[in-house]
Amino acid sequence: MVALTSAAGVISLLDEKSEEIQIYALKKLNSIVDQFWAEISDSVSKIEVLYENEQFKYRNLAALVASKVYYHLGEFDESMSFALGAGDLFDSSLTTEYVETIVAKCIDQYIYLRSNNQMDEISPELEQIIEKVFTRCFEDKEYKQAIGIALESLRLDIIEKAIKAGESKELLSYVLNASMTLVQNLNARNEVLKLLISLFRDLDESDYISMTQCFLHLKDSYSCAETLKSLVNGDEKQLLMAYQIAFDLEENATQDFLQQVLDTLPEPVSKNETDMDTDNAVNDDPISKIRSILKGDLSIKLNLEFLFRNIHTDLQILNATKDALDSRNSMYHSAITFANAFMNSGTTSDEFLRNNLEWLSRASNWSKFSATAALGVIHKGHIDQGLKLLAPYLPQEGVSSSPYSEGGSLFALGLINANHGGEVLDYLRNALNKTQNEIIQHGAALGLGAAGMATASDEIYEELKNVLFTDSAVAGEAAGLAMGLIMLGTSSDKAIDEMLQYAHETQHEKIIRGLAIGMALIMYGKEDTADTLIEQLLQDKDHIIRYGGIYMIALAYCGTGNNKAIKKCLHVAVSDVNDDVRSAAVIALGFILFKTPKQVPRIVQLLSESYNPHVRYGCTLALGISCAGTGMPEAMELLDPLTKDQVDFVKQGALIASAMILIQSNEAMSPKVAPIRKLYETIIKDKHEEAMAKFGAVLSQGILDAGGRNVTISLQSRSGYNNMASIVGMTIFTQFWYWYPLTHFLSLAFTPTAFIGLNSKLEMPKLEFISNAKPSLFAYPSPMKKQEKTVVEKVATAVLSTTAKAKARAKKNEKEKGGNEPESMDTDEKKEETQMEVDTTEKKEEAEKQEKKKKQTFGKLGNLTRVLPAQLKYIVFKDDARYIPVKDIVGGITIMEDRQKGQPEELLEFSTPKQIATVDPQDEEPAPPEPFVYEED
């Protein structure tokens, strides 16, 4: 049979009036359409006419042929429309490219219609194809595929069916993670979470930790409290689980949410008269223990203990930097102050300040404010001693000292109690209301914001509003920020209206900026609820309010990876007339995408080559924020040319971002660490380098070794939640561009990389576990080598040959005279040789030890040790270990189950100093002499 070379003959049959001939033509075209589609496309209108004729029996076949033609033409929407018209003739079970493409288009259309509540527009044919897809997924046991489509199209019935049909525990975990990223609509996500709670509860062993995660996302404090109460009344294992859940809640929830849980829990059992002698009567009550955990005191105390025990700060770096920079320059003085605060954040170690009191005393004005506030970063979490520590600096009635140190001390008090206000809030409110000095008001407002974060307290908000209405630029900026911090994530209409109105009325740019960021904070985590307000702010003629609108996108959609938000930011980054707004738009990408950091280098790659330096600066911080603590090589490659940029502030941003990315990395983990450290040193010592680049290099040194090299920067908690305090701290830190004292807020983003194991009595037992990785891979970076002073050697004096001969003769004569005297020179030489041999042996032994360490393939670790996020996958407990964790190891505070109950336990004691001596630059001044009477002779 001769092969067809043209479809013209078959196409002409469509013009025949006989229905049978037309049917034959369609069947023939259907078989040859893949070969002759280009020729058939000229007559596709004839096929469409047959499809539209309702009297034509084979109109389904006409639709199928038309669909295939449009598919080959690349008109997929038209092709899908005709495929749906083909009915049963379109076999979705086939694995041809055409079928798979049309099915994919159908799924997209189905998801779009359901997610936009356009249910009426879903045709029965479309519904039928989707049902076939689901059926096929179940037959092939591809449950995750079915769940993916069901999640996006909000088919809860299919999600439930798939979970029950497959490995329930694994699929539930998959759905929980996917729902937080795939489901863009907040209300729809809440519906999925409600379904998951019932499924987690129905498991053979109820997954209480995941249930609590869902309650937290749903902001259901009552169910959290009820879960804790039911677990407390269960067996020993359930009690341990209750303690673990309480620690997880404390780490992830807001102060307001925790207070609601505490209000729902029963009051602790009061001591009877008979129990008055027993101090532990209340402490042994499980509900009391849970209440103490939720209040946060225990977590803060444990993290403080970890940081104090494991401090590895290298003061040589700070000393070398201090010696290289002119301390009379307030910018350099502040930079070293910030670097020292970051390096010792939470460690309570103020050794550098004590060793450099004379240098510290040179701080003046706002440098003094920052230097005093730095004590809050160093002693962050030392709640018990906070007021005592800062007593010499805090405002006192009848005593007038520098308002800068008083304001700085109030800010420091807020940082010590960050996100854990408690009783300190009343003290700060009192200090705010008592003073009319704008510098002290500035410090008190920032302190209130840091300590009272997300408390939603109307009283504090009103007091801050009164300070705002004084129209003082300095105090007003801090008040605007603090109002946002207090109302964080509440989306309060009243607060938004008042702040926006005042931002339009005031003439002070500082106040407008404070209010703009404050409004963004109020809409934290609100996603599409914030869209109307975002649009309003972005249309404003004031560029600072548009700047606030961009930060509102960043905070409302932080961590969601929302496409709509990304598109909006990219549009503003290349279209806005103001450089600051464009820069902020790029920075916002870092906040939106921090859960998928690998995407960010690809997205900002072209922007990093922009002619506009502000856009390039935005790229550096976007990379730093999203890839913080990952050591990602792709991000470092993008930053490398920016560290050599011609514009000083771009170079500054690149240096800071590189430190954020490489924090806690050593040379084994990332080969970039050594060159970057060297680059910081070179820039600091280079006298011709720009001041802003030097500021960035000093700050970067502090960030790279933050918290005694025991903290990382992470915008999400160990459980995968958004870490609210970290996100807020990072947001306000990015404002250091306009106001240096705000740099201290970065300390809120520092997360200790600790493993802290607790027993059923919430004590720290001695325990051991294995890290199945080379110890050198996750070791602390080696300390900076001491620079040895180069000694200039004297040039040897020229000796004449006659002089040498004369000396030799004299020496020979002396030897002959004193033949029997002991040869003292020989003895000295022997001693030196022996000493050299000992030194050589010691060096050999040290080298052998180092060699053995390098060859080790695993390491043994104990309680309260540093475990990096990348190290967690290597952590295992021995089969015969006495203590095992009650949940998967994610680091942080972990409740341990004791498998040898009743046996005596070895416990670790707290070593954090109870009493702290204060640092005062005036300490070195000698006391005045005793009174005396001067008498002349």
Side-chain angles (χ1 to χ4, degrees):
M1 187 179 172
V2 181
L4 276 175
T5 56
S6 171
V10 182
I11 293 168
S12 65
L13 295 177
L14 293 172
D15 296 326
E16 295 292 329
K17 290 187 179 177
S18 169
E19 197 171 285
E20 288 179 4
I21 295 173
Q22 288 174 335
I23 292 166
Y24 170 78
L26 285 174
K27 285 179 178 176
K28 191 69 179 171
L29 286 173
N30 187 37
S31 63
I32 64 172
V33 68
D34 293 336
Q35 189 180 354
F36 295 106
W37 61 268
E39 202 175 340
I40 300 168
S41 65
D42 291 333
S43 305
V44 73
S45 56
K46 294 177 183 177
I47 302 169
E48 286 183 42
V49 168
L50 290 174
Y51 167 66
E52 285 163 9
N53 181 5
E54 292 186 6
Q55 305 303 318
F56 186 60
K57 292 178 183 177
Y58 279 74
R59 60 194 296 264
N60 288 8
L61 182 59
L64 183 64
V65 175
S67 172
K68 289 180 179 180
V69 172
Y70 279 116
Y71 163 73
H72 285 295
L73 288 169
E75 297 287 342
F76 297 133
D77 289 333
E78 287 288 324
S79 179
M80 180 191 71
S81 176
F82 281 109
L84 292 174
D88 293 336
L89 289 181
F90 177 75
D91 187 357
S92 60
S93 62
L94 296 175
T95 55
T96 63
E97 192 178 333
Y98 159 69
V99 170
E100 287 181 353
T101 305
I102 298 306
V103 168
K105 285 298 296 180
C106 289
I107 291 169
D108 288 344
Q109 179 71 1
Y110 185 72
I111 288 168
Y112 173 78
L113 293 173
R114 280 192 65 89
S115 58
N116 287 290
N117 281 330
Q118 298 175 12
M119 308 292 187
D120 300 340
E121 294 184 31
I122 300 174
S123 64
E125 292 82 11
L126 179 60
E127 191 85 55
Q128 189 181 359
I129 286 176
I130 299 300
E131 289 301 329
K132 282 181 182 176
V133 169
F134 284 134
T135 306
R136 188 171 156 194
C137 286
F138 284 114
E139 285 171 359
D140 297 346
K141 296 188 176 177
E142 294 288 351
Y143 301 118
K144 286 186 180 179
Q145 283 187 16
I147 286 169
I149 299 168
L151 266 177
E152 290 196 77
S153 58
L154 309 178
R155 285 287 301 272
L156 300 184
D157 56 325
I158 298 293
I159 294 172
E160 187 172 358
K161 185 180 174 185
I163 289 169
K164 287 179 177 175
E167 287 285 332
S168 296
K169 201 162 187 180
E170 184 192 335
L171 289 173
L172 276 168
S173 175
Y174 173 77
V175 174
L176 181 58
N177 292 330
S179 64
M180 302 314 296
T181 50
L182 284 176
V183 185
Q184 304 284 350
N185 185 287
L186 198 58
N187 294 330
R189 187 187 306 149
N190 289 347
E191 290 301 316
V192 175
L193 292 173
K194 285 173 187 172
L195 168 67
L196 289 180
I197 289 167
S198 63
L199 294 173
F200 277 125
R201 194 177 278 124
D202 293 343
L203 288 172
D204 296 335
E205 283 188 27
S206 299
D207 189 344
Y208 294 106
I209 288 178
S210 298
M211 280 167 60
T212 315
Q213 284 186 30
C214 297
F215 290 141
L216 190 50
H217 285 301
L218 293 166
K219 295 183 172 51
D220 186 354
S221 57
Y222 178 79
S223 298
C224 273
E226 289 300 313
T227 304
L228 288 170
K229 279 195 275 188
S230 67
L231 287 171
V232 164
N233 296 325
D235 57 23
E236 176 74 16
K237 199 162 186 178
Q238 287 186 322
L239 179 60
L240 294 177
M241 188 59 74
Y243 292 152
Q244 185 64 64
I245 287 170
F247 276 115
D248 290 350
L249 278 174
E250 193 281 326
E251 183 186 9
N252 297 301
T254 64
Q255 291 187 63
D256 189 36
F257 184 90
L258 291 172
Q259 191 56 52
Q260 289 172 27
V261 176
L262 284 166
D263 292 342
T264 313
L265 286 172
E267 287 297 317
V269 181
S270 59
K271 289 185 183 181
N272 300 323
E273 287 181 19
T274 52
D275 295 329
M276 288 298 281
D277 298 332
T278 314
D279 291 335
N280 295 327
V282 172
N283 294 342
D284 287 342
D285 173 30
I287 289 289
S288 297
K289 286 180 179 174
I290 286 173
R291 291 181 72 87
S292 72
I293 293 167
L294 292 174
K295 284 176 183 173
D297 293 345
L298 184 57
S299 302
I300 291 168
K301 192 178 177 184
L302 289 165
N303 282 320
L304 189 70
E305 175 68 18
F306 161 74
L307 291 171
F308 179 74
R309 274 174 182 257
N310 296 285
I311 182 168
H312 276 74
T313 306
D314 191 352
L315 291 181
Q316 288 184 66
I317 295 173
L318 280 171
N319 288 325
T321 302
K322 179 182 72 71
D323 294 340
L325 297 175
D326 180 7
S327 61
R328 289 170 297 181
N329 184 318
S330 67
M331 188 175 173
Y332 294 154
H333 197 288
S334 293
I336 296 167
T337 301
F338 295 136
N340 172 54
F342 291 159
M343 277 191 187
N344 294 296
S345 174
T347 63
T348 73
S349 169
D350 48 23
E351 187 183 344
F352 176 77
L353 299 178
R354 292 183 183 284
N355 294 344
N356 296 282
L357 289 170
E358 190 270 330
W359 168 85
L360 185 61
S361 64
R362 291 183 198 165
S364 60
N365 300 335
W366 287 106
S367 289
K368 186 179 256 188
F369 180 95
S370 298
T372 315
L375 292 172
V377 178
I378 292 169
H379 295 279
K380 181 170 170 270
H382 214 145
I383 292 167
D384 301 338
Q385 297 288 321
L387 280 167
K388 191 172 182 181
L389 166 80
L390 296 167
Y393 312 99
L394 289 166
Q396 294 169 14
E397 283 188 38
V399 179
S400 59
S401 62
S402 165
Y404 292 99
S405 61
E406 288 184 2
S409 63
L410 291 168
F411 182 21
L413 193 59
L415 290 169
I416 287 173
N417 295 271
N419 199 21
H420 188 76
E423 297 166 8
V424 170
L425 290 175
D426 292 331
Y427 181 91
L428 289 166
R429 285 171 65 186
N430 191 31
L432 180 72
N433 295 329
K434 273 188 177 178
T435 184
Q436 295 301 313
N437 185 300
E438 61 177 11
I439 299 158
I440 299 173
Q441 285 178 333
H442 183 87
L446 288 178
L448 268 172
M453 194 187 298
T455 51
S457 165
D458 288 324
E459 295 85 2
I460 300 175
Y461 172 81
E462 290 299 327
E463 287 166 8
L464 288 165
K465 189 169 73 174
N466 293 337
V467 173
L468 176 73
F469 288 166
T470 60
D471 207 42
S472 155
V474 172
E477 180 184 33
L481 267 174
M483 287 158 76
L485 285 166
I486 294 294
M487 291 292 176
L488 180 66
T490 59
S491 68
S492 164
D493 292 334
K494 173 178 175 283
I496 291 284
D497 291 343
E498 289 175 348
M499 291 165 79
L500 186 56
Q501 184 183 348
Y502 195 76
H504 283 130
E505 288 171 6
T506 186
Q507 299 298 309
H508 295 292
E509 282 197 0
K510 283 172 76 70
I511 294 178
I512 299 171
R513 183 165 284 107
L515 288 167
I517 299 299
M519 286 188 287
L521 291 165
I522 289 173
M523 300 307 287
Y524 166 80
K526 290 300 171 187
E527 298 184 30
D528 42 12
T529 314
D531 282 352
T532 311
L533 184 57
I534 287 168
E535 209 54 51
Q536 184 185 345
L537 296 187
L538 290 180
Q539 299 301 322
D540 203 283
K541 64 179 186 296
D542 188 330
H543 70 273
I544 302 175
I545 292 177
R546 294 204 303 278
Y547 176 88
I550 291 296
Y551 269 97
M552 192 174 285
I553 296 175
L555 290 169
Y557 288 98
C558 58
T560 60
N562 186 286
N563 289 330
K564 181 176 64 176
I566 293 167
K567 203 178 287 184
K568 177 78 74 180
C569 288
L570 287 171
H571 173 70
V572 174
V574 294
S575 64
D576 201 276
V577 294
N578 184 270
D579 286 334
D580 285 354
V581 179
R582 293 178 69 175
S583 175
V586 187
I587 292 170
L589 293 171
F591 286 100
I592 296 166
L593 290 164
F594 71 78
K595 285 188 179 174
T596 51
K598 288 185 178 177
Q599 289 186 25
V600 181
R602 184 172 50 83
I603 289 174
V604 303
Q605 186 173 7
L606 287 174
L607 292 170
S608 69
E609 296 166 13
S610 168
Y611 70 91
N612 188 321
H614 291 80
V615 172
R616 297 202 299 276
Y617 172 79
C619 289
T620 63
L621 284 190
L623 287 166
I625 291 163
S626 58
C627 306
T630 62
M632 193 183 290
E634 296 89 343
M636 291 305 298
E637 275 176 34
L638 274 185
L639 287 174
D640 195 40
L642 296 172
T643 57
K644 304 177 186 73
D645 202 280
Q646 296 298 311
V647 182
D648 53 359
F649 62 80
V650 177
K651 191 184 285 189
Q652 182 194 71
L655 294 170
I656 291 170
S658 64
M660 288 182 183
I661 294 168
L662 293 175
I663 187 170
Q664 282 200 314
S665 293
N666 58 24
E667 289 175 43
M669 293 166 72
S670 173
K672 288 274 184 188
V673 173
I676 279 289
R677 284 186 185 275
K678 190 71 183 165
L679 178 64
Y680 298 157
E681 285 180 49
T682 308
I683 289 173
I684 290 164
K685 288 176 181 174
D686 186 354
K687 290 182 180 177
H688 305 292
E689 190 59 76
E690 295 283 351
M692 286 188 82
K694 286 188 178 184
F695 182 91
V698 177
L699 218 57
S700 303
Q701 285 184 328
I703 294 167
L704 198 58
D705 292 335
R709 295 178 169 172
N710 289 306
V711 299
T712 188
I713 293 174
S714 178
L715 300 193
Q716 60 180 327
S717 69
R718 296 177 184 90
S719 315
Y721 295 96
N722 287 0
N723 187 333
M724 183 190 71
S726 289
I727 291 165
V728 169
M730 186 63 79
T731 302
I732 300 177
F733 166 72
T734 57
Q735 310 309 312
F736 82 90
W737 173 268
Y738 308 100
W739 191 235
Y740 280 150
L742 298 179
T743 308
H744 285 308
F745 270 97
L746 183 63
S747 62
L748 301 189
F750 293 156
T751 308
T753 49
F755 180 88
I756 303 170
L758 299 181
N759 62 14
S760 58
K761 294 178 181 175
L762 305 185
E763 297 166 328
M764 301 179 289
K766 281 190 180 176
L767 52 86
E768 192 179 81
F769 52 94
I770 306 295
S771 170
N772 281 324
K774 286 185 177 182
S776 58
L777 184 60
F778 299 109
Y780 286 99
S782 49
M784 184 181 179
K785 288 177 183 175
K786 285 187 179 178
Q787 291 184 338
E788 295 177 5
K789 291 180 181 178
T790 51
V791 181
V792 181
E793 292 181 4
K794 290 180 181 178
V795 180
T797 313
V799 181
L800 297 171
S801 58
T802 51
T803 312
K805 283 176 184 175
K807 280 186 179 178
R809 267 199 304 274
K811 202 173 183 181
K812 192 179 179 185
N813 292 338
E814 276 178 28
K815 212 171 186 183
E816 286 172 1
K817 280 179 188 176
N820 295 326
E821 287 181 16
E823 296 179 10
S824 58
M825 282 293 289
D826 289 353
T827 313
D828 290 346
E829 283 171 14
K830 282 176 187 172
K831 277 184 185 173
E832 283 177 19
E833 282 174 18
T834 313
Q835 187 63 39
M836 282 173 72
E837 282 173 15
V838 171
D839 289 348
T840 312
T841 311
E842 285 179 0
K843 281 180 184 175
K844 275 184 182 176
E845 286 176 2
E846 189 63 33
E848 282 173 12
K849 277 184 186 176
Q850 292 297 329
E851 197 61 38
K852 274 184 185 176
K853 274 188 179 179
K854 282 181 183 177
K855 287 179 181 176
Q856 275 184 326
T857 55
F858 69 94
K860 290 182 180 178
L861 301 173
N863 206 351
L864 283 170
T865 51
R866 184 180 85 148
V867 177
L868 303 185
Q871 192 177 358
L872 288 168
K873 59 187 175 190
Y874 299 107
I875 298 298
V876 291
F877 281 78
K878 289 181 181 176
D879 294 337
D880 60 347
R882 176 171 179 175
Y883 299 98
I884 55 166
V886 296
K887 68 165 189 174
D888 295 337
I889 304 164
V890 293
I893 299 170
T894 307
I895 299 294
M896 311 297 287
E897 183 185 350
D898 185 357
R899 298 198 288 190
Q900 296 174 20
K901 205 102 175 97
Q903 298 290 322
E905 294 181 277
E906 273 191 271
L907 301 174
L908 298 173
E909 297 296 326
F910 281 96
S911 56
T912 315
K914 298 275 193 313
Q915 300 294 326
I916 298 178
T918 56
V919 180
D920 195 336
Q922 309 303 322
D923 280 355
E924 61 178 352
E925 195 172 300
E930 292 291 324
F932 62 92
V933 179
Y934 175 70
E935 293 177 358
E936 290 188 15
D937 293 338

